[in-house]
Amino acid sequence: MKYLHTMIRVSDPDATIRFFELLGLREVNRMENDAGRYTLIFLAAPGDEEAQVELTHNWDEKGGYDGGRNFGHLAYRVDNIYETCQRLMEAGVTINRPPRDGHMAFVRTPDNISIELLQDGHLPPQEPWASMPNTGTW
């Protein structure tokens, strides 16, 4: 398993980037999604580009975030997402977003913190995961 990034939602990306730049982080990647109406901005400290902060800007969010909704998730790359999810499920963990695509799943910690699991590479869809519905939110 490898730590990838922490995601936070931001209402003013430019102000947030300026804040993180004061801490020494720099933008390393940016993705715009017109259909989903969001921008993802990845920041990292020079020399530690693999440990990133993901800023998610939802274009239509005008009121800001409260109640901790701005914190998104921790992300980890795993060697086999199906085996990882099976091990978690057997231990009583709910798979909130199953790895239907062979690439991504979400679970929650006992304190309800969302954890994103990302497959290292890509696996073909497999049952029971391919037809498993979402449970709750992530």
Side-chain angles (χ1 to χ4, degrees), residues 79-112:
D79 291 330
N80 186 307
I81 198 161
Y82 298 130
E83 290 175 4
T84 301
C85 287
Q86 185 64 44
R87 184 176 66 252
L88 292 168
M89 207 164 66
E90 288 172 358
V93 174
T94 299
I95 309 299
N96 300 101
R97 195 282 191 188
R100 289 184 292 275
D101 55 5
H103 178 67
M104 176 180 66
F106 278 89
V107 296
R108 286 189 174 270
T109 70
D111 292 310
N112 217 24

Side-chain angles (χ1 to χ4, degrees), residues 45-119:
D48 195 16
E49 286 80 8
E50 292 187 16
Q52 301 176 0
V53 173
E54 173 190 329
L55 308 180
T56 297
H57 177 240
N58 296 301
W59 302 349
D60 299 324
E61 178 59 45
K62 303 297 183 212
Y65 296 99
D66 61 2
R69 180 72 180 120
N70 58 325
F71 177 78
H73 60 262
L74 301 177
Y76 292 92
R77 179 178 300 131
V78 296
D79 291 330
N80 186 307
I81 198 161
Y82 298 130
E83 290 175 4
T84 301
C85 287
Q86 185 64 44
R87 184 176 66 252
L88 292 168
M89 207 164 66
E90 288 172 358
V93 174
T94 299
I95 309 299
N96 300 101
R97 195 282 191 188
R100 289 184 292 275
D101 55 5
H103 178 67
M104 176 180 66
F106 278 89
V107 296
R108 286 189 174 270
T109 70
D111 292 310
N112 217 24
I113 301 297
S114 189
I115 306 293
E116 179 181 24
L117 303 172
L118 294 167
Q119 173 61 41

Side-chain angles (χ1 to χ4, degrees), residues 8-50:
I8 59 174
R9 291 178 180 84
V10 300
S11 53
D12 185 342
D14 293 332
T16 304
I17 290 169
R18 283 192 301 273
F19 170 81
F20 278 107
E21 285 176 342
L22 290 171
L23 294 175
L25 277 67
R26 299 288 176 252
E27 185 173 328
V28 295
N29 193 17
R30 181 181 291 242
M31 293 181 282
E32 306 256 340
N33 186 309
D34 292 332
R37 302 194 46 74
Y38 64 86
T39 302
L40 304 179
I41 304 160
F42 294 87
L43 308 172
D48 195 16
E49 286 80 8
E50 292 187 16

